[in-house]
Amino acid sequence: MLNQNMLAKKYLSIRNQTLELTQPLTAEDMVVQPIVDVSPPKWHLGHTTWFFETFLLKPHLPTYREYHPKFSFIFNSYYETFGDRAVRNQRGFLTRPTIQEVMDYRRYVDEFMLQLIALGTDNLTFLIDLGLNHEQQHQELLVTDIKYILGTQVINPVYGGHKDVPGQLPPIDWVSIDGGQYPIGFDGNTFCFDNELKPHEAHVESFQIADRVIAVEEYLAFMDDAGYQRPELWLSEGWDWLMKNGLNSPLYWKKIDNAWHYYRLDGFEKLNVYEPVTHISFFEADAFARWSGKRLPTEFEWEIAAKKIQPKRPKSANFLESGLLHPSLEQQQPGFWGSVWEWTNSAYSAYPGYRQTKGALGEYNGKFMINQMVLRGGSCATPAAHIRLSYRNFFHAYQQWQFSGVRLTETAE
Amino acid sequence: MLNQNMLAKKYLSIRNQTLELTQPLTAEDMVVQPIVDVSPPKWHLGHTTWFFETFLLKPHLPTYREYHPKFSFIFNSYYETFGDRAVRNQRGFLTRPTIQEVMDYRRYVDEFMLQLIALGTDNLTFLIDLGLNHEQQHQELLVTDIKYILGTQVINPVYGGHKDVPGQLPPIDWVSIDGGQYPIGFDGNTFCFDNELKPHEAHVESFQIADRVIAVEEYLAFMDDAGYQRPELWLSEGWDWLMKNGLNSPLYWKKIDNAWHYYRLDGFEKLNVYEPVTHISFFEADAFARWSGKRLPTEFEWEIAAKKIQPKRPKSANFLESGLLHPSLEQQQPGFWGSVWEWTNSAYSAYPGYRQTKGALGEYNGKFMINQMVLRGGSCATPAAHIRLSYRNFFHAYQQWQFSGVRLTETAE
Amino acid sequence: MLNQNMLAKKYLSIRNQTLELTQPLTAEDMVVQPIVDVSPPKWHLGHTTWFFETFLLKPHLPTYREYHPKFSFIFNSYYETFGDRAVRNQRGFLTRPTIQEVMDYRRYVDEFMLQLIALGTDNLTFLIDLGLNHEQQHQELLVTDIKYILGTQVINPVYGGHKDVPGQLPPIDWVSIDGGQYPIGFDGNTFCFDNELKPHEAHVESFQIADRVIAVEEYLAFMDDAGYQRPELWLSEGWDWLMKNGLNSPLYWKKIDNAWHYYRLDGFEKLNVYEPVTHISFFEADAFARWSGKRLPTEFEWEIAAKKIQPKRPKSANFLESGLLHPSLEQQQPGFWGSVWEWTNSAYSAYPGYRQTKGALGEYNGKFMINQMVLRGGSCATPAAHIRLSYRNFFHAYQQWQFSGVRLTETAE
Amino acid sequence: MLNQNMLAKKYLSIRNQTLELTQPLTAEDMVVQPIVDVSPPKWHLGHTTWFFETFLLKPHLPTYREYHPKFSFIFNSYYETFGDRAVRNQRGFLTRPTIQEVMDYRRYVDEFMLQLIALGTDNLTFLIDLGLNHEQQHQELLVTDIKYILGTQVINPVYGGHKDVPGQLPPIDWVSIDGGQYPIGFDGNTFCFDNELKPHEAHVESFQIADRVIAVEEYLAFMDDAGYQRPELWLSEGWDWLMKNGLNSPLYWKKIDNAWHYYRLDGFEKLNVYEPVTHISFFEADAFARWSGKRLPTEFEWEIAAKKIQPKRPKSANFLESGLLHPSLEQQQPGFWGSVWEWTNSAYSAYPGYRQTKGALGEYNGKFMINQMVLRGGSCATPAAHIRLSYRNFFHAYQQWQFSGVRLTETAE
């Protein structure tokens, strides 16, 4: 009974956190989809609710009645198992259901979820945990999508986040890791995604890795050295991407009167050079590393180093708790990681012995294991409770709209 | 003084009519742009206001101060004269200014417009008339765009409009017009657009023209005779358009349980076969005419016939006054035209002696005189005061989202 | 018997002229399709042969046996009546049949055509004439397509054509035409296309028209006056086309060391400023006219003027007879027209009383009557016997690869 | 002196082998580029020659004079170091230089290469070896490109290759490999590409691997079980690719009268079910494996297994020596691999300690290490002397035009 109460409380707490993230938005902000990667905030609210309805209530609560016959079509993200669904790039055309109707849907589902939790069915623990982790993933996506929606307006509104204070850039220290065989993957008994399994050994050669991610100041040096104009620094597809899109800076950057500014959730401002550089694509991270005479770490190297240096994530880096959406590097010290997602040079792929979940849930992770790169760590937009050392995030090499940055590595001679 | 009062009243009346059209909408409906042809209702409200600000207040009211430095960028539709502007296909991403802010903008501009009108400057009559006619054009576009936004939702909401009553289909009578030379174009002293000028003579051969537009029932016969499957009935580009888009009916039509339904602004319903067929492209109108063994009229034939048969437009066909967004043919009798725009077989082009207006206003009509077809008449969505016999509407041959229909003609033997 | 002999001779003469045009080409030149408008020369040879096989031999010569079961699929251009066919934009991938095999196909069909002609069937006159006129149209297309293939090579080869001699630019005289009603269309008893019928009256207002087309020197003045950089001179779609394609000159022009050069079939050279400007789109012709303070003539004005001024076409302008692919304006004098196709401001449309031919041949002209503009006159690439005053050529407003130029007109005050 | 003679002989032998491969082609076949992946055979002949001219003759033979100032622009494939070059998807429009002119270019460069070789400069060994390996890579591409050009014709010509004889399908044996640490990469002192370096250790878990690749008969079972219609078997991007392209079989397959046929270089035929299935994309290989309840091997597993089972490649599988372009599985026994390239589940990436070559040659391999999958083995189209165990081929997951097949693996319980 105690457990059920705690679970119910946790459920409500996480669900409410999602709503809180949309508080600063106007109705207009809730509806649009400026690029295919970005979903309307309203859609996130509906989709996460649909997830509980579909995977928990419908199969496991006999008294549950479907809320609306068309909502599954509208709020199914990509599960082929459930048949036809609204086309992804048309989410921004769905004016109906309205925000109010989506809120009603949330309340309806939450009520039944509390009933289901109260039943205390043991074998649903994993599914409820999955639903809550799924909700947390969408909390993070909400922040990134909101930033894109607001950050690409002609008139940039302020969302929130405390102002940072001027800082200093600590020098990079290089941590040496001996070559050898190391354990990789999730090895606990709490929740993890199937792609973190199963735990296994990996061999790495000796390497050195920076003790912090790259800051804006360092990235500016790359730009000043014609980094965006020299094809020899770029992967072939990266250079094509650059030329086709006419890019010459990270996302949200804009030069005004010869000074670089950027959009942060607390407004459109001059660069703070002490912050981690973020909103860069894999292509940019990789070009920066090549220019530096270094390289990106593999996800194994990253995991091994993270485990060695600093097993805990600093509390202050998480926006939802600290209110700091853009902590300077100083403020986020002494944590090793957690302010930006870090591109690794590992393509997203199955671990040895990976077993894709049966049924619709098997579509959650496994079917994306192609043409995406693994990011490790977590960002200021990631819920703190959702971060762990074995977590494998993954995006396409061209995507910039995540809070993604870069850490350098080199193979030991 | 009297004149100024009347003009002020007229100004406010027309401006308010625009707002009235958006009353049934939710905030969500006001923001989206599902296809490039459709502008967000919020944008229409801002753009028509920008028009008065740009062409009246800024140049002619010295005390006027620009409302917002970025609004011209956001609400300029296509005037190159005013420099850079937001890309047309991204109007649906503009969450800011909000609806409320646009409403404030309208009030601000309206106040100054009333000041300007009170000054009674004679030489502004044309510009104010132009602004009001421009507003009326956008009232019509608002109705068509709203219909598209609501009609393409997964869950179709009701907008409004009285229900029609079952009718009967009056037989088509064929009106004979003798060949010869006829006057064409606007020849009055009230407002008209530059493309209706100058009045001139045109020669036509003898022809016969139907006394009403085609009804749904007749169009169904074309569809049942495999009209959408026979390339010989279609223009080459029309057939390509059909194949590429996989179409087999007018816009908003959907077959459910083997029965055709369509979306009307009063809801998603079974077809009313007595209504004029509408939301068809020029390609469809042309294919239907070829299947009928007839052809579309030229715009000259249409104007000559309209003048002869019935000089006045029936009052009942206009939605804003009658509340009938889909009058059956019987209800709209005895008017010859006015329930749907009628595709003609005339490409949109300059009349002899056409003089493009100087300056930015020259961009209003003249720069679109290529690859568009003229439509004549007016629809239930056209403000009654905005309809006239010499009015030349124009759209691309593939566009279906207007209230566009078809009338048959044939050359006399 | 005499007639048959003459027809046979004419048949062979025209068919051989086609082959002659391909003499300067290498096998490589015969195969490629650099843009969708351009067909491989080899394909032209096959397609014109297929035309005789399909419309003459198969239906009218009982002893005829189809040459190859797949050739109809390969060489059908756009006749839906005959079912599936090779996709137009993939003609440049068809390495088989080889050139040699196409030549064999031509000989085979020619042999049977001579048999059919010898039978002297009277009612085939029109069809044979049509086939020969069709062959002549493709002779012209061969020249334009060959020019595109050779003119867009990195290493430009010489095709042929006599060198021109330096000339002088005669001043433009303005011919006045009184407003009134004039006969339009083909009114003879020899061959014409269905789109030139039926002859009818048209009314025009008084106008003035230039007695020659615009020369390179005059077009350069437009370019030097920032003609390609000023949106107010262009139709809206024209400006979009310009921006999208980054154009700033007619096709085949290239600036080298600050001097304009162009590719002509006799090589890559400095501009000859006395030649008619050619390879310009309708958009460019229209912008040039607006810059000049004039306009393009309608096709009716053109026909009326051409009839009045100079009923005969100068012999020297035709390349096949004169060898002059680029006559200077002086050399082509005193002919009024015939050196370049002249864009008119008339959309391609049916004449009153137009009757589309029954069956597959109805697809020849009628199904293209949308979104194309009429060109009048004829160019140095048009077979002289194929030119006539009522001839209506038609292309899309953006197409530059024809020998197309511009003549100015203005409405009389 | 002996060495130089041998090298000269080897040089000529490999260069001539390239020409031999084009012997069965017509001039028309040499020019076209039906998809962007396929280069015209003529272009391959020029590009491989340009490679020797650029990397050997120009920098290392002072007496050498560039053959043609435009050839570097035309025949540079992707080296940014050498500046602008012809756009890749327009290679099929280059009619000039002609085949004959390319042959002259080859002879010219060969002559000077023999002079350079005669000089016996020791430090050029690697570069000459690289040029010859590059030539061999293009020999293989020539075969695959020729197959695409001929295999997509409406009329499929025969290229060559001995006919196969009916065979039998040997059962699959599963070879067990113990988990542990194994050496990976090239560890010899002969030529290898930089991407095979440096040799290092990798850890794998215990696994079982099939002793032969999948045959047509087995793949048909997947197809008969609705393999191409079930989204749950496919990666998300794979399913999108399938839907977008409307595919339901490997490349070159066509159902005629309910029986599957395919194009082989010896003609269009009924399937031989005993052959390895080939011309499948990674997406298809992966879906087949999932359907089988197995998975694809990683490139490390493949290399470890290949080393264990069968260190030598069977001579008979190479087309150039055996004339067998499509050996049945029986004929290619007892070799473990070499008849088709085998998709692995490893993304193409740098080995630990990888050093990209300095200068232009660094563009050879390194800049493609994103969004491509490694294939191992070699196919009947690969020159036998060009195959080795550590060879890493790489293509995009959607590409089918290579001789690519599939081998199954599973992790040991």
Side-chain angles (χ1 to χ4, degrees), chain D residues 4 15 40 75 91 127 134 136 155 168 173 208 214 224 270-271 277 279 284 294 332 362 366:
Chain D
Q4 283 94 292
R15 291 279 286 167
F75 290 123
R91 289 177 187 164
L127 280 178
H134 176 258
Q136 287 174 319
I155 303 163
Q168 260 192 326
D173 273 346
Q208 294 183 302
I214 291 300
D224 290 345
K270 277 202 181 173
L271 292 180
V277 68
H279 296 299
E284 290 163 295
K294 314 288 183 193
Q332 59 155 311

Side-chain angles (χ1 to χ4, degrees), chain A residues 26-29 31-34 42 68 70-71 73-74 92-99 149-150 153-155 157, chain B residues 26-29 31-34 68 70-71 73-74 92-99 149-150 153-155 157:
Chain A
T26 65
E28 293 87 340
D29 300 328
V31 178
V32 301
Q33 180 179 38
K42 189 186 77 173
H68 192 291
K70 296 283 182 73
F71 278 20
F73 180 87
I74 292 174
F93 307 152
L94 292 162
T95 68
R96 311 300 178 104
T98 61
I99 299 162
I149 289 167
L150 303 183
Q153 294 299 316
V154 178
I155 303 163
Chain B
T26 66
E28 293 86 342
D29 300 328
V31 178
V32 301
Q33 180 179 38
H68 192 291
K70 295 282 183 74
F71 277 20
F73 180 86
I74 292 174
F93 307 153
L94 292 162
T95 68
R96 312 299 176 106
T98 62
I99 298 162
I149 290 167
L150 303 183
Q153 294 299 316
V154 179
I155 302 163

Side-chain angles (χ1 to χ4, degrees), chain A residues 200-220:
Chain A
H200 62 287
E201 304 274 302
H203 179 85
V204 298
E205 307 280 318
S206 300
F207 67 100
Q208 293 181 302
I209 190 164
D211 71 338
R212 65 161 171 81
V213 292
I214 290 301
V216 165
E217 185 171 276
E218 290 149 338
Y219 198 81
L220 278 169

Side-chain angles (χ1 to χ4, degrees), chain D residues 20-257:
Chain D
E20 237 173 78
L21 287 169
T22 64
Q23 281 317 305
L25 302 185
T26 66
E28 293 87 342
D29 301 328
M30 296 284 281
V31 177
V32 300
Q33 180 179 37
I35 53 170
V36 68
D37 297 323
V38 166
S39 293
K42 188 186 76 172
W43 187 90
H44 284 294
L45 298 186
H47 167 67
T48 49
T49 304
W50 168 87
F51 194 93
F52 284 109
E53 181 181 50
T54 303
F55 291 101
L56 272 302
L57 296 178
K58 282 185 183 176
H60 300 293
L61 188 64
T63 57
Y64 183 74
R65 291 292 163 269
E66 188 183 45
Y67 186 71
H68 191 290
K70 297 282 184 75
F71 276 22
S72 188
F73 180 86
I74 293 174
F75 290 123
N76 176 2
S77 53
Y78 54 67
Y79 294 86
E80 302 278 352
T81 312
F82 304 116
D84 281 352
R85 58 196 179 281
V87 179
R88 174 166 185 144
N89 63 9
Q90 302 190 353
R91 289 177 187 164
F93 307 152
L94 291 162
T95 67
R96 311 302 179 104
T98 61
I99 299 163
Q100 191 50 53
E101 287 161 351
V102 171
M103 293 299 191
D104 294 346
Y105 178 41
R106 285 184 76 89
R107 267 188 297 273
Y108 178 87
V109 162
D110 283 351
E111 228 163 81
F112 281 96
M113 275 303 298
L114 292 179
Q115 288 181 28
L116 182 65
I117 288 168
L119 295 175
T121 323
D122 269 1
N123 58 3
L124 296 182
T125 312
F126 170 75
L127 280 178
I128 294 173
D129 255 351
L130 181 65
L132 292 174
N133 274 273
H134 176 258
E135 184 97 15
Q136 287 174 319
Q137 289 184 311
H138 280 274
Q139 287 170 6
E140 175 159 1
L141 287 170
L142 257 176
V143 176
T144 51
D145 291 1
I146 288 168
K147 182 162 181 182
Y148 195 91
I149 290 168
L150 303 184
T152 54
Q153 294 299 318
V154 179
I155 303 163
N156 292 129
V158 170
Y159 172 76
H162 291 179
K163 292 277 176 198
D164 52 20
V165 290
Q168 260 192 326
L169 200 57
I172 292 179
D173 273 346
W174 294 89
V175 181
S176 293
I177 309 279
D178 289 336
Q181 203 156 318
Y182 291 88
I184 294 291
F186 185 79
D187 200 12
N189 47 19
T190 52
F191 176 87
C192 78
F193 286 111
D194 59 5
N195 61 15
E196 301 167 57
L197 297 175
K198 52 184 202 174
H200 61 287
E201 303 275 299
H203 178 84
V204 298
E205 307 280 317
S206 300
F207 66 100
Q208 294 183 302
I209 192 164
D211 71 338
R212 65 161 171 81
V213 292
I214 291 300
V216 165
E217 184 171 278
E218 290 149 337
Y219 199 81
L220 278 169
F222 163 68
M223 289 168 66
D224 290 345
D225 196 28
Y228 281 84
Q229 286 79 44
R230 291 161 55 187
E232 73 270 20
L233 298 174
W234 295 76
L235 287 168
S236 182
E237 288 194 14
W239 185 251
D240 292 347
W241 168 79
L242 212 56
M243 293 298 101
K244 191 179 162 190
N245 294 284
L247 302 181
N248 63 351
S249 75
L251 183 60
Y252 304 125
W253 288 36
K254 204 173 173 178
K255 217 171 197 167
I256 296 180
D257 297 337

Side-chain angles (χ1 to χ4, degrees), chain B residues 41-163:
Chain B
K42 190 186 74 172
W43 188 89
H44 284 292
L45 298 186
H47 166 66
T48 49
T49 304
W50 169 86
F51 194 92
F52 284 108
E53 182 182 49
T54 303
F55 291 101
L56 272 303
L57 296 178
K58 282 186 183 175
H60 300 293
L61 189 64
T63 58
Y64 183 75
R65 291 294 163 269
E66 187 182 47
Y67 186 71
H68 192 291
K70 295 282 183 74
F71 277 20
S72 187
F73 180 86
I74 292 174
F75 290 122
N76 176 1
S77 51
Y78 54 66
Y79 295 86
E80 302 278 353
T81 312
F82 304 116
D84 280 354
R85 59 196 179 281
V87 179
R88 172 161 189 147
N89 63 9
Q90 302 191 354
R91 290 178 187 165
F93 307 153
L94 292 162
T95 68
R96 312 299 176 106
T98 62
I99 298 162
Q100 191 51 54
E101 288 161 352
V102 171
M103 292 302 188
D104 294 344
Y105 178 39
R106 284 184 78 87
R107 267 187 298 273
Y108 178 86
V109 163
D110 284 350
E111 228 163 83
F112 281 97
M113 276 303 297
L114 291 178
Q115 288 181 29
L116 183 65
I117 288 168
L119 294 177
T121 323
D122 270 2
N123 58 4
L124 296 181
T125 312
F126 170 76
L127 279 179
I128 294 173
D129 256 351
L130 181 65
L132 292 174
N133 273 275
H134 176 259
E135 185 95 17
Q136 288 175 317
Q137 289 184 311
H138 280 275
Q139 287 171 7
E140 176 159 359
L141 287 170
L142 257 176
V143 176
T144 50
D145 291 1
I146 288 169
K147 182 162 182 182
Y148 195 92
I149 290 167
L150 303 183
T152 54
Q153 294 299 316
V154 179
I155 302 163
N156 293 128
V158 170
Y159 172 76
H162 291 178
K163 292 274 175 199

